Amino acid sequence: MNYLLNFILAVCLTGFSYFLGSLILKNGLSLWQALVIGFSVVALGALTEAVGSPMWLIIFVPFPVGMILLYLFLNVAVPQWFLTYLLTLAIYTVIHIAMSYFFKFHSLIPAWKLMN
């Protein structure tokens, strides 16, 4: 049950970072679209981990999926999409730092554990 809760939390936090990044730049990504991206990214990372891939691949594989889905959902010019993606990554990193440091939740960036 703990894995399922961690998975759901990771999906919600990842989706929230996409939603917040889009909201700040007024791109109009809806909450359900952000959660679809969050689910896709986290599920792909979990599947990559389940087949025994190395940590660098578990972290790298979900990036293209998140980027492509964000581009398709936003339907904006490439520079605006890229700016939104960079802001999303910054928000995601801040969320990871807080969750890892205060709650020892390392499922967002598994290889970057800030506390043991």
Side-chain angles (χ1 to χ4, degrees):
M1 186 67 158
N2 191 27
Y3 183 83
L4 180 61
L5 291 176
N6 285 344
F7 181 84
I8 292 169
L9 182 59
V11 167
C12 290
L13 293 173
T14 303
F16 178 70
S17 67
Y18 279 91
F19 181 73
L20 192 57
S22 173
L23 187 66
I24 290 171
L25 295 176
K26 299 178 183 7
N27 287 332
L29 190 67
S30 67
L31 185 58
W32 74 268
Q33 291 171 323
L35 289 175
V36 166
I37 296 171
F39 177 81
S40 300
V41 167
V42 173
L44 187 56
L47 286 172
T48 307
E49 181 181 22
V51 297
S53 298
M55 189 58 65
W56 67 268
L57 193 58
I58 294 168
I59 294 169
F60 177 73
V61 166
F63 275 94
V65 172
M67 294 173 83
I68 291 168
L69 287 174
L70 182 66
Y71 181 76
L72 292 173
F73 284 146
L74 283 182
N75 197 24
V76 296
V78 171
Q80 185 68 23
W81 158 77
F82 190 66
L83 182 61
T84 305
Y85 190 73
L86 289 178
L87 182 58
T88 297
L89 285 180
I91 293 167
Y92 183 82
T93 301
V94 169
I95 290 172
H96 165 73
I97 290 170
M99 293 300 291
S100 182
Y101 186 78
F102 293 112
F103 303 105
K104 297 180 183 171
F105 182 77
H106 307 296
S107 293
L108 296 173
I109 307 175
W112 186 19
K113 293 182 180 181
L114 301 180
M115 291 184 70
N116 289 329

